[in-house]
């Protein structure tokens, strides 16, 4: 601030007796509080002194104020602009139908209003028999029953399994999920289920084939690994072609103690598959 003339053009005058009194009062206040603050020099305005520790020029906007003894601490900082919500935590407890993928997940690509859902509990096949060989979940893992869900564009189902469409062309997706009762066992089960499908990444030319494994992780114990499926017409070298879009695929899911397999029969490309798998993993 300038020490020039005060308003009206007349220099500010501080009487000697008043200055001495102010200095004595400041020293007395310093002895009482441990902090010495001298009065402002002649001509200075009445702005309060900056608190100790404040940056020159004042605290930046949004900085927290220092805590006062006996008072509340500094307010928590606001999340950074664009920051996402906290990561999901792994699921626990029995798997219910609420943990299974719904028709809405296919909405951007298919008419979800035409997708019928059938559920059952028990055992059954979970993989395509034309590659890995048809097995039931119990045969592979030896565990208890699981939740099976079929998503179909027709209400006609197989007499052997209500989650399988009578006409395979009407199958949109099929999911099986169960609870392993411990996160470590769920991880073990998901790894074993993935290993069952890995051989399908290499097949004789002309046979359908799975593409490379893509990992999707929403939290340390919330993970999906999925592979797109390619028709035999694109398999000319014994493996999935580079730079081509898949037509559906398979995903192995794990969330806490829950694990499962999602087979997508609808012809979805990479972006759509990633979106559907993410929805299934979030639901599980």
């Amino acid at each position: 601030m300038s020490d020039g003339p005060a308003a009206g053009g007349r220099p500010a005058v501080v009487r000697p007796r008043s200055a001495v009194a102010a200095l004595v009062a400041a020293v007395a206040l310093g002895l009482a509080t441990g902090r010495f603050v001298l009065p402002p020099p002649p001509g200075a305005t009445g702005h309060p002194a900056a608190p100790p520790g404040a940056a020159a020029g004042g605290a930046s906007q949004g900085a927290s104020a220092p805590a006062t003894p006996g008072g509340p601490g500094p307010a928590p900082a606001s999340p950074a602009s664009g920051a996402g919500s906290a990561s999901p935590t792994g699921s626990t407890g029995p798997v219910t139908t609420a943990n299974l993928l719904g028709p809405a997940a296919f909405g951007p690509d298919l008419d979800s209003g035409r997708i019928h859902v059938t559920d059952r509990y028990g055992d059954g096949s979970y993989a395509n028999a034309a590659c890995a060989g048809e097995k039931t979940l119990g045969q592979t893992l030896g565990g208890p029953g699981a939740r099976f869900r079929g998503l179909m564009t027709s209400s006609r189902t197989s007499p052997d399994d209500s989650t399988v469409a009578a006409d395979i062309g009407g199958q949109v997706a099929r999911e099986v999920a169960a609870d392993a009762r411990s996160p470590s066992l769920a991880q073990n089960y998901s790894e074993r289920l993935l290993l069952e499908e890995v051989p399908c990444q290499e097949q004789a030319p002309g046979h359908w084939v799975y593409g490379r494994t893509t990992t999707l992780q929403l939290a340390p114990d919330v993970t999906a690994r999925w592979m797109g499926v390619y028709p035999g017409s694109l398999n000319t070298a014994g493996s999935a072609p580079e730079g081509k879009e898949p037509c559906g695929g398979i995903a192995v899911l794990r969330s806490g103690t829950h694990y499962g397999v999602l087979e997508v029969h609808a012809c979805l490309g990479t972006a759509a598959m990633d979106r559907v798998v993410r929805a299934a993993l979030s639901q599980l």
Side-chain angles (χ1 to χ4, degrees):
M1 299 291 293
S2 170
D3 290 334
R10 298 179 59 188
V13 177
V14 179
R15 298 177 182 273
R17 187 176 301 171
S18 299
V20 171
L23 181 60
V24 171
V27 172
L29 178 62
L31 291 173
T33 64
R35 182 186 303 166
F36 293 88
V37 181
L38 294 178
T45 59
H47 290 300
S60 61
Q61 185 177 3
S64 301
T68 55
S78 301
S81 176
S85 58
S87 298
T89 55
S91 301
T92 58
V95 172
T96 69
T97 55
N99 297 117
L100 302 179
L101 187 67
F106 297 90
D109 304 283
L110 304 174
D111 182 0
S112 58
R114 295 182 58 241
I115 299 178
H116 300 271
V117 174
T118 60
D119 294 315
R120 69 175 182 83
Y121 181 84
D123 196 9
S125 62
Y126 64 91
N128 195 312
C131 171
E134 188 169 16
K135 289 183 179 180
T136 69
L137 199 64
Q139 287 172 333
T140 299
L141 304 177
R147 297 279 178 184
F148 285 77
R149 167 165 289 185
L151 298 103
M152 300 161 281
T153 56
S154 171
S155 57
R156 294 178 57 248
T157 63
S158 167
D160 300 324
D161 190 331
S162 61
T163 63
V164 176
D167 177 8
I168 192 61
Q171 194 86 38
V172 175
R174 188 165 175 266
E175 184 178 14
V176 53
D179 175 48
R181 307 189 183 206
S182 77
S184 60
L185 191 56
Q187 181 178 4
N188 177 277
Y189 281 176
S190 66
E191 290 174 352
R192 289 165 62 183
L193 289 169
L194 183 67
L195 288 175
E196 288 282 323
E197 308 302 325
V198 167
C200 302
Q201 290 178 317
E202 294 183 0
Q203 291 293 304
H207 192 285
W208 70 264
V209 66
Y210 285 141
R212 63 181 178 83
T213 304
T214 298
T215 299
L216 176 63
Q217 187 169 35
L218 303 185
D221 61 346
V222 184
T223 306
R225 286 167 291 184
W226 67 271
M227 300 174 284
V229 65
Y230 295 81
S233 60
L234 293 179
N235 176 15
T236 60
S239 60
E242 292 293 335
K244 299 291 185 180
E245 284 293 298
C247 185
I250 190 169
V252 177
L253 315 169
R254 183 221 164 191
S255 175
T257 64
H258 294 181
Y259 66 96
V261 177
L262 172 67
E263 294 177 88
V264 178
H265 295 261
C267 194
L268 302 183
T270 301
M273 275 294 298
D274 189 81
R275 184 171 58 250
V276 169
V277 171
R278 185 182 294 272
L281 182 59
S282 300
Q283 195 77 16
L284 186 64

